[in-house]
Amino acid sequence: MRRKDKEVAEPEIVQYILEQAPAIRIAMCDEHMPYIVAMNFGWEPGRIYLHSAMEGRKISILERNSRVAFQTDLNTEIIAGESPCNWGAKYLSLIGSGRACFIETPEEKKHALDLIMSKYSGAGDFAYPSSTLDKTCVIRIDIAEMTGKKSG
């Protein structure tokens, strides 16, 4: 990172960002064109979990190329300046990369969906009908690298 003074290295701040961020953006490469989508997510150390329909552009891309990048942010605020060159922003953000894989077993799917549901609901253990698990695609991203940044 070029600006070490803006780097977020403290694990508790990284955890805070992942807990509080409302969505994560997943970037993929479709042939030679980038494709990005915002998604709800859950996480545990070293992993990000997503859920999706079983088909669509995102799924087709990930079947061909499992490499992804991701970005999330929160507490973003524009800070007005005296002149155009003095404007800025406050934020907390994370970017990273990794590999996506499709989770197949009902137990692993339930674990991932529980993490996603817990993030948004604050509750714990959930029940999912097997018919729901069968038609839900669950994606795990194994994080290869992740960098945090803050300003303001």
Side-chain angles (χ1 to χ4, degrees):
M1 176 175 294
R2 183 180 64 84
R3 296 277 312 264
K4 291 293 185 188
D5 61 313
K6 293 185 180 249
E7 183 176 15
V8 172
E10 303 86 354
E12 59 276 4
I13 297 177
V14 170
Q15 179 177 333
Y16 174 78
I17 295 168
L18 290 167
E19 287 173 354
Q20 299 301 313
I24 196 164
R25 291 154 204 82
I26 306 299
M28 299 158 271
C29 191
D30 188 7
E31 299 295 324
H32 299 289
M33 288 297 298
Y35 179 72
I36 190 166
V37 62
M39 300 184 72
N40 295 327
F41 71 104
W43 70 280
E44 63 186 1
R47 296 176 171 166
I48 293 169
Y49 294 96
L50 314 165
H51 70 90
S52 172
M54 299 292 278
E55 59 185 30
R57 185 174 179 187
K58 168 180 64 262
I59 301 304
S60 296
I61 294 169
L62 292 175
E63 287 173 340
R64 294 189 309 272
N65 182 355
S66 65
R67 291 180 294 183
V68 299
F70 57 88
Q71 185 276 335
T72 192
D73 56 75
L74 72 148
N75 299 342
T76 303
E77 180 184 342
I78 300 299
I79 307 299
E82 296 286 324
S83 68
C85 294
N86 291 332
W87 283 57
K90 287 184 178 181
Y91 57 84
L92 286 170
S93 68
L94 294 174
I95 61 168
S97 62
R99 290 208 176 254
C101 66
F102 297 103
I103 294 177
E104 302 295 335
T105 69
E107 298 79 22
E108 288 178 289
K109 282 186 175 186
K110 181 184 181 328
H111 173 72
L113 293 172
D114 280 351
L115 289 170
I116 295 168
M117 287 300 303
S118 293
K119 174 179 173 44
Y120 294 99
S121 74
D125 196 25
F126 298 89
Y128 309 95
S130 58
S131 60
T132 299
L133 291 177
D134 290 344
K135 65 181 181 181
T136 302
C137 179
V138 178
I139 302 161
R140 183 185 76 224
I141 297 174
D142 295 319
I143 300 170
E145 62 181 353
M146 184 167 57
T147 304
K149 189 173 179 182
K150 64 183 171 190
S151 182

